[in-house]
Amino acid sequence: MGEDKRLAAVVALAQGMAAAHTPRECWQAAALGACHALDGTFAALSVWERELGRLRVLANVGDRAPDEEEFPEAETYPVHQFPEITEFLHERWAGGGGPNAWVETAEGAAAGTPGYFHQRVAALRRRGRGCCVVAPVVLHGRAWGELYVARAAGAPAFARADSEFATVLAAVVAAGIAQTERLEEARRLAYTDALTGLANRRAVDVCLEEAVERHRAEGAVVSLVVCDLNGLKRVNDTLGHAVGDRLLERFGSVLSLCGAMVPDALVARLGGDEFCLVAVGPPADDVVKAADELCRRAGELEPGEGVACGVASTEEAIGEVRDARRLFRLADAAQYRAKALRLDRPVVAGREGPGDPVVRLADEPPPSHAERRRFRGRRP
């Protein structure tokens, strides 16, 4: 491959990774770009999980063997079977060299290789491949994983120039992965409550809007639990905000535990002493059961005073739910009633008959100050 084509391949690889929106898309773009750049028929990207002592395959692209999934859940290899990821890199760096790529063939060692490794050679033969080039991916000054590109049996073997080019490609992949990790961390922070580690209001807004759209399009059951932790102001005023923060953290853990009773539920802190749970799909009774358990466990938290809990579900007699705002009004009205009556159980909107005061309360235009309290979404 000429210099112009190689430069174009590098640019295409970088652009493909930059256009990725998720880690999976990034891994796939890295493997596809490297496979194309090196005229391979198959490529894989793997990460070195140091704490587990293994290489975990993130993405397989190209002509995959029957046992190779595109995004495998459990394709891992003990690092001791492929020691070059550690030993070769260490020897190179200790001698002042760089993390260069090397080539293996179905017959054994080839260009730039640290030695003969039976497992790689056996894998090539087993999967009908004639050669491979392996390039360490180095991130933040340490081995992160490896980029692997192979050619089918009978195709020309990779040469030294290919291994040198693979080293360059691995550096581009490392830069793309670093960028993706930074973006993922930014996204995580944008949708996570800093104190409890739960989702925040922004994440709830996105989830609930999508959930209501699914309800309107497919009839999916959408349930919302809104909780108000009782006694937080007293704790802050008498014991200090550090104790209050600890109470919020402990309640967040309890909410997370109870939320696990409902498949794929989102648990979140809306702000202050207000929390919620969003469930899409499970029956309303399952969500109410989880909310009931939440009230029981919250009542045991010291120095708190339990929790006021309201539930609204599209499966109940609450009228048409056209948007997330109405579901929030219903759940918040139910929570308000639970607080006013000092109940140690959830109040469920629509379960008090045709004259349900919760539904009536939710449908009444609230005064401006109550509007601000009830629809916490405008609060940072």
Side-chain angles (χ1 to χ4, degrees), residues 318-330 359 363:
I318 59 174
E320 185 179 4
V321 176
R322 295 183 177 179
D323 53 36
R325 184 178 177 82
R326 174 166 168 76
L327 204 62
F328 248 121
R329 288 178 65 93
L330 288 160
V359 176
D363 287 341

Side-chain angles (χ1 to χ4, degrees), residues 15 25 38 77 109 120 127 135 160 164 167 215 240 265 289 324:
Q15 290 177 337
E25 290 180 1
L38 288 163
Y77 302 95
R120 286 203 192 275
R127 289 166 173 158
R160 181 172 298 278
E164 292 172 353
T167 301
H215 167 68
K289 182 179 179 181

Side-chain angles (χ1 to χ4, degrees), residues 137-144 174 177-179 181-182:
V137 177
V138 178
L139 198 61
H140 309 308
R142 63 193 306 192
W144 178 90
I177 290 171
Q179 176 68 10
E181 289 184 351
R182 287 192 291 269

Side-chain angles (χ1 to χ4, degrees), residues 13-189:
L13 171 59
Q15 290 177 337
M17 296 186 71
H21 293 96
T22 66
R24 272 194 172 190
E25 290 180 1
C26 175
W27 305 334
Q28 184 185 54
L32 282 171
C35 190
H36 173 73
L38 288 163
D39 292 325
T41 56
F42 170 84
L45 182 69
S46 303
V47 63
W48 178 13
E49 296 182 326
R50 293 168 181 266
E51 70 280 8
L52 299 175
R54 68 186 186 183
L55 280 172
R56 178 167 63 91
V57 179
L58 301 174
N60 290 313
V61 302
D63 297 335
R64 293 181 280 122
D67 63 335
E68 292 171 326
E69 299 176 9
E70 185 175 17
F71 298 107
E73 293 296 328
E75 186 181 351
T76 62
Y77 302 95
V79 171
H80 69 79
Q81 291 185 0
F82 303 96
E84 67 272 20
I85 188 71
T86 56
E87 295 176 6
F88 181 49
L89 286 175
H90 176 74
E91 291 171 4
R92 283 291 182 116
W93 288 343
N100 295 338
W102 64 90
V103 175
E104 303 261 2
T105 73
E107 284 69 47
T113 180
Y116 178 92
F117 289 97
H118 170 73
Q119 287 81 6
R120 286 203 192 275
V121 173
L124 286 171
R125 293 172 179 170
R126 184 172 67 252
R127 289 166 173 158
R129 294 166 188 151
C131 63
C132 68
V133 58
V134 184
V137 177
V138 178
L139 198 61
H140 309 308
R142 63 193 306 192
W144 178 90
E146 67 172 40
L147 182 65
Y148 174 100
V149 180
R151 287 176 179 167
F158 290 112
R160 181 172 298 278
D162 294 313
S163 67
E164 292 172 353
F165 185 40
T167 301
V168 174
L169 295 174
V172 176
V173 167
I177 290 171
Q179 176 68 10
T180 298
E181 289 184 351
R182 287 192 291 269
L183 291 174
E184 281 300 300
E185 178 64 10
R187 292 189 187 105
R188 186 191 69 78
L189 293 174

